[in-house]
Amino acid sequence: MDRETLIWQYLQSRLNNPYGTAGLMGNLYAESALNPQNLQNSFEKSLGYTDQEYTKAVDNGTYNNFVNDKAGYGLAQWTYWSRKQNLYNFAKANNKSIGDLDMQLEFLWKELQEYKAVFETLKKATSVREASDCVLTKFERPADQSETVQKKRASYGQTYFDKFTKEADTMAELKIIDSMLTKNPCYQANVNKADNRYIEFQNRGPVDGMLHSVGCPQPSASVFVKNWNSESYDRACVHGFIDANTGDVHQTLPW
């Protein structure tokens, strides 16, 4: 999965508002081109590091001025010392590199909730421009917040909105049939949250997928659903079957 899609899916699954997601992503793109290892360009020469070298040096401790060097870093170009300290602490607490994308998304989400006005706007915005301006002026707060900058960042966000809502409209055309394997041991274990990995999966949502041929001439998804929906069928489980005749998707586990 490409980086743009991963970031969109992560944010949209939590904000549940494509205007807010697009407005936020447009600002992140303006700040870092969605590169979680991005070191503010104007500091590369003065500090003598590339993005990757800086990230590695902070991670291994050979560079110890990450918090106070005033260099923007990461997806949101965190700059102020206290925000960089929080980012650094969050990365270490999760045993991740400061440049890890998943970690930064988790940190961004946690931080956004502390900016209550921004958070509420992202969830309720009715246009990309509304969400984008709020992120620009109340979260990112660069020196230049002119109308020109506002329009440019909103245009980035609109590009993401157009791209991903169009894809969502296409996906919405799929017919998904509720065929949960409620008797299958895998379903029981996951619904009962016996597996910590599944709890993490529920919180995060899917990040990738695998399409697998069953390798036999049976085209009917309902036949597989019937056979697998049994307490004794503990050999395997999947999230869904695609009917070879109709293209309908029989969903068998929670996404």
Side-chain angles (χ1 to χ4, degrees):
M1 182 183 300
D2 66 88
R3 187 182 297 163
E4 287 184 349
T5 302
L6 192 153
I7 294 172
W8 175 274
Q9 290 187 355
Y10 179 92
L11 296 173
Q12 176 60 12
S13 69
R14 287 155 177 77
L15 291 171
N16 196 31
N17 180 6
Y19 297 111
T21 299
L24 176 55
M25 277 191 69
N27 274 272
L28 295 179
Y29 178 82
E31 293 287 337
S32 65
L34 303 184
N35 175 10
Q37 294 190 18
N38 184 259
L39 170 64
Q40 187 175 336
N41 294 345
S42 59
F43 277 80
E44 289 186 358
K45 185 175 181 179
S46 61
L47 294 178
Y49 288 112
T50 64
D51 294 344
Q52 294 76 20
E53 290 169 345
Y54 181 81
T55 301
K56 183 178 180 180
V58 174
D59 284 342
N60 65 28
T62 57
Y63 179 75
N64 56 18
N65 198 35
F66 174 74
V67 172
N68 295 305
D69 63 15
K70 300 182 180 179
Y73 182 77
L75 285 177
Q77 287 292 277
W78 288 282
T79 305
Y80 192 67
W81 74 267
S82 61
R83 296 177 76 182
K84 292 187 78 175
Q85 181 73 71
N86 290 338
L87 174 64
Y88 181 83
N89 292 345
F90 190 83
K92 292 302 179 184
N94 288 277
N95 197 30
K96 298 288 187 179
S97 164
I98 59 163
D100 182 83
L101 176 59
D102 291 336
M103 180 280 296
Q104 287 193 17
L105 286 171
E106 293 287 351
F107 177 75
L108 174 65
W109 180 247
K110 177 177 179 292
E111 192 181 48
L112 278 170
Q113 293 174 75
E114 299 171 3
Y115 289 75
K116 298 187 182 301
V118 178
F119 187 66
E120 289 303 313
T121 297
L122 290 177
K123 293 177 68 175
K124 298 177 181 179
T126 56
S127 71
V128 174
R129 177 67 188 265
E130 178 187 2
S132 180
D133 284 355
C134 185
V135 174
L136 171 67
T137 60
K138 296 180 180 180
F139 184 75
E140 291 293 352
R141 295 183 291 192
D144 186 355
Q145 300 178 18
S146 64
E147 177 68 12
T148 299
V149 171
Q150 291 177 30
K151 286 183 177 180
K152 188 172 185 179
R153 293 200 177 201
S155 71
Y156 293 149
Q158 190 65 49
T159 297
Y160 288 123
F161 181 89
D162 294 343
K163 174 182 177 180
F164 288 107
T165 56
K166 181 179 179 180
E167 290 182 2
D169 289 343
T170 300
M171 289 296 292
E173 296 174 6
L174 289 172
K175 182 178 180 181
I176 300 179
I177 300 171
D178 188 342
S179 303
M180 295 294 174
L181 301 177
T182 55
K183 297 179 181 178
N184 187 286
C186 181
Y187 177 93
Q188 292 293 330
N190 289 335
V191 169
N192 293 329
K193 297 186 177 180
D195 189 333
N196 287 332
R197 293 172 300 175
Y198 190 70
I199 297 174
E200 179 183 353
F201 179 80
Q202 284 181 313
N203 292 333
R204 182 197 66 210
V207 295
D208 213 335
M210 179 179 68
L211 185 63
H212 177 66
S213 169
V214 296
C216 71
Q218 174 55 260
S220 175
S222 61
V223 172
F224 285 95
V225 172
K226 181 178 179 180
N227 290 339
W228 287 40
N229 194 24
S230 167
E231 294 177 356
S232 63
Y233 198 96
D234 59 358
R235 300 184 296 280
C237 208
V238 294
H239 283 85
F241 293 99
I242 303 174
D243 193 288
N245 289 325
T246 66
D248 295 341
V249 177
H250 288 249
Q251 183 183 353
T252 51
L253 289 178
W255 297 139

